[in-house]
């Protein structure tokens, strides 16, 4: 090796070649090391793209926790936005975003699992830059809210999120109790020892369930309709904060929220002002087919076909409408019963079960060819009419989508009653 070195350095050309190769080696070694670093492209999920910092005297850069609120997207599933916790440790060069995501992507199977109440979800952790690239590509806005937790609470939160992440997609998901925001809110509340959030007494926290839905879901009428369909019996009660919390509401309340200890100590929930990381560029157009419009159109069609049945002696189309309506009635009734019995949304009672139940189907299967069956249409119409009067009085809201559904069923029940009375057929 020594002779080889002497030969390479005696000749000028060889000496220049040697210097070039040594320079190339000096440059290549750090590049190769960077390519194998955890934060490089293709690395594991735990990788970080941040430079390590020296620990500050007050340990403030050992752990930093903030809430990330993403603006709504075009998919119905993202109509209320999305929440994530950003856990950053500049000392260790870590910058991760933890979020609660469904095991299935939005699609037909997603809808089936969600409606059946068997959707599963898991806590996921991705590097901050990957998380932000997703929303940047979707042109959605992201705002960061730095949480004013103690160092011990930040460390405990990081430990908890790591534990939750390793559970995999085994936890339930629904829009009411176990969603991207309520789960993270409970995680943060869990690690706050002898402390709790004190939210301002402002709307919608001071509102009843029905008024709360109208406030939170004002831009998502189908979610408002679904919420009142399942929680009608609880319209006057107040929802717990971890149920009503959603991305937009959490971000709106945090600047006015304090963290209060059992010893009376108090500090702001935020450590500094919210920071806009991405500006909202996506414009989500309002849905033209709201529940009120859809069921109003159905009611008008029902009225027209009923009028044609009596004045133009149409038979097939009105009877086909009856078959469709009462088939849907049976399906909705079975689903509401299933949702109530399984406490799918944490509730059991539901006023809509008075109208939407399986009794009409059972009576039809047993006595559809009996003379007494046609006499049941009028009592059932009376039940629907009573419900039409009772529901808006109870909830304090017109409940137009439900009213149009009731009116549609009432119209056909009365038509069937008078049809049977005129023909004498069941």
């Amino acid at each position: 090796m020594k002779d080889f070195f002497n030969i390479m350095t005696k000749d000028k050309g060889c000496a220049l070649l040697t210097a070039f190769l040594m320079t190339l080696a000096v440059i290549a070694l750090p590049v190769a090391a960077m390519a194998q670093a955890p934060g490089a492209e293709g690395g594991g999920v735990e990788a970080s793209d941040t430079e390590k910092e020296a620990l500050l005297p007050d340990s403030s850069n050992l752990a930093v926790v903030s809430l990330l609120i993403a603006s709504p997207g075009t998919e119905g599933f993202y109509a209320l936005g999305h929440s994530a916790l950003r856990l950053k440790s500049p000392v260790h060069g870590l910058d991760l975003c933890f979020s609660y995501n469904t095991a299935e992507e939005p699609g037909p199977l997603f809808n089936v699992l969600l409606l059946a109440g068997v959707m599963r979800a898991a806590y996921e952790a991705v590097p901050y830059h990957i998380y932000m690239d997703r929303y940047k590509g979707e042109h959605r806005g992201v705002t960061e809210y730095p949480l004013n937790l103690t160092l011990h609470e930040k460390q405990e939160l990081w430990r908890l999120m790591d534990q939750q992440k390793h559970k995999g997609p085994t936890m339930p998901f629904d829009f009411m109790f176990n969603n991207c925001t309520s789960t993270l809110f409970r995680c943060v509340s869990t690690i706050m020892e002898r402390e709790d959030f004190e939210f301002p007494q402002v709307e919608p926290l001071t509102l009843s369930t029905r008024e709360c839905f109208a406030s939170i879901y004002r831009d998502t009428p189908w979610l408002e309709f679904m919420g009142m369909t399942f929680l009608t019996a609880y319209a006057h009660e107040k929802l717990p904060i971890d149920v009503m919390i959603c991305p937009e509401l959490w971000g709106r309340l945090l600047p006015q929220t304090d963290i209060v200890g059992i010893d009376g100590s108090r500090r702001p929930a935020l450590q500094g002002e919210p920071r806009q990381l991405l500006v909202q560029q996506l414009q989500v157009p309002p849905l033209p087919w709201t529940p009120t419009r859809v069921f109003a159109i159905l009611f008008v069609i029902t009225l027209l076909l009923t009028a044609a049945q009596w004045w133009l002696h149409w038979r097939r189309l009105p009877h086909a409408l009856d078959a469709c309506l009462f088939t849907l009635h049976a399906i909705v009734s079975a689903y509401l019963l299933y949702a109530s019995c399984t406490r799918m949304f944490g509730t059991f009672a539901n006023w809509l079960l008075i109208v939407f139940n399986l009794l009409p189907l059972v009576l039809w299967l047993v006595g559809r060819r009996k003379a007494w069956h046609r006499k049941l249409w009028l009592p059932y119409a009376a039940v629907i009419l009573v419900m039409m009067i009772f529901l808006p009085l109870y909830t304090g809201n017109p409940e137009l989508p439900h009213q149009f559904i009731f009116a549609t069923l009432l119209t056909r029940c009365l038509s069937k009653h008078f049809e049977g009375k005129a023909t004498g057929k069941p």
Side-chain angles (χ1 to χ4, degrees), residues 94-398:
L94 295 174
D95 195 353
L96 301 172
C97 295
F98 290 82
S99 57
Y100 191 71
N101 300 320
T102 58
E104 293 289 334
E105 291 295 324
L109 179 59
F110 174 92
N111 296 331
V112 171
L113 294 176
L114 191 63
L115 289 175
V118 294
M119 175 63 75
R120 288 294 174 260
Y123 289 91
E124 296 178 355
V126 297
Y128 169 74
H129 70 278
I130 295 179
Y131 183 86
M132 295 298 292
D133 285 346
R134 171 190 170 187
Y135 291 100
K136 185 177 181 180
E138 297 177 0
H139 306 291
R140 294 166 64 182
V142 177
T143 305
E144 183 176 32
Y145 298 83
L147 298 181
N148 192 16
L149 303 178
T150 65
L151 177 59
H152 177 69
E153 290 171 341
K154 295 174 183 177
Q155 292 172 323
E156 288 300 308
L157 181 60
W158 203 309
R159 184 178 293 109
L160 175 62
M161 299 310 298
D162 274 335
Q163 293 173 353
Q164 297 282 36
K165 182 190 65 176
H166 287 98
K167 291 181 180 179
T170 59
M171 292 163 282
F173 182 93
D174 59 73
F175 279 116
M176 294 289 179
F177 297 93
N178 302 285
N179 53 60
C180 67
T181 307
S182 61
T183 51
L184 295 181
F185 174 78
R186 284 193 285 268
C187 284
V188 176
S189 299
T190 299
I191 55 87
M192 296 175 66
E193 298 180 353
R194 298 185 294 276
E195 290 184 330
D196 201 359
F197 286 113
E198 184 178 275
F199 292 97
Q201 291 303 304
V202 296
E203 295 183 0
L205 302 187
T206 58
L207 302 178
S208 65
T209 297
R210 182 64 190 90
E211 296 168 330
C212 181
F213 282 159
S215 174
I216 295 176
Y217 301 143
R218 59 187 180 276
D219 297 325
T220 52
W222 281 102
L223 286 181
E224 180 184 356
F225 170 73
M226 293 294 290
M228 280 315 301
T229 297
F230 293 108
L231 298 175
T232 302
Y234 301 85
H236 287 303
E237 298 185 11
K238 289 186 178 180
L239 290 174
I241 182 64
D242 62 329
V243 175
M244 74 170 67
I245 200 77
C246 67
E248 184 272 336
L249 178 60
W250 201 0
R252 179 153 50 96
L253 292 177
L254 274 176
Q256 309 173 60
T257 302
D258 288 335
I259 296 177
V260 180
I262 60 174
D263 58 353
S265 61
R266 179 184 296 268
R267 67 180 186 276
L270 292 183
Q271 192 171 21
E273 295 295 323
R275 190 161 61 102
Q276 189 82 33
L277 302 179
L278 290 176
V279 178
Q280 168 82 354
Q281 297 178 342
L282 176 68
Q283 298 297 325
V284 182
L287 287 174
W289 298 105
T290 63
T292 301
R293 292 176 183 174
V294 168
F295 296 122
I297 291 173
L298 177 61
F299 176 56
V300 171
I301 292 174
T302 301
L303 284 178
L304 293 176
L305 288 179
T306 302
Q309 176 185 0
W310 286 97
W311 293 335
L312 303 178
H313 305 291
W314 287 14
R315 290 291 181 268
R316 291 186 178 179
L317 282 178
H319 288 171
L321 176 64
D322 289 340
C324 292
L325 285 178
F326 290 107
T327 298
L328 290 174
H329 176 276
I331 294 173
V332 172
S333 299
Y335 180 68
L336 283 180
L337 183 62
Y338 166 75
S340 296
C341 292
T342 59
R343 296 182 180 271
M344 186 184 300
F345 298 98
T347 60
F348 182 76
N350 192 327
W351 287 118
L352 295 184
L353 286 172
I354 295 175
V355 173
F356 289 94
N357 59 74
L358 295 175
L359 183 60
L361 176 63
V362 172
L363 293 176
W364 180 80
L365 292 173
V366 173
R368 64 185 182 278
R369 300 188 184 279
K370 306 294 184 180
W372 53 264
H373 185 263
R374 64 181 175 83
K375 299 178 180 179
L376 298 177
W377 293 110
L378 188 60
Y380 188 59
V383 171
I384 297 175
L385 182 60
V386 170
M387 194 64 181
M388 290 182 67
I389 298 172
F390 167 76
L391 188 61
L393 293 176
Y394 179 76
T395 63
N397 190 282

Side-chain angles (χ1 to χ4, degrees), residues 23-36:
T23 303
L24 184 63
V26 171
I27 296 174
L29 284 174
V31 173
M34 288 174 62
Q36 297 177 0

Side-chain angles (χ1 to χ4, degrees), residues 1-11 14 18:
M1 179 65 69
K2 183 177 180 182
D3 293 339
F4 174 77
F5 182 78
N6 290 334
I7 294 173
M8 293 296 290
T9 54
K10 285 180 180 179
D11 185 82
C14 290
T18 302

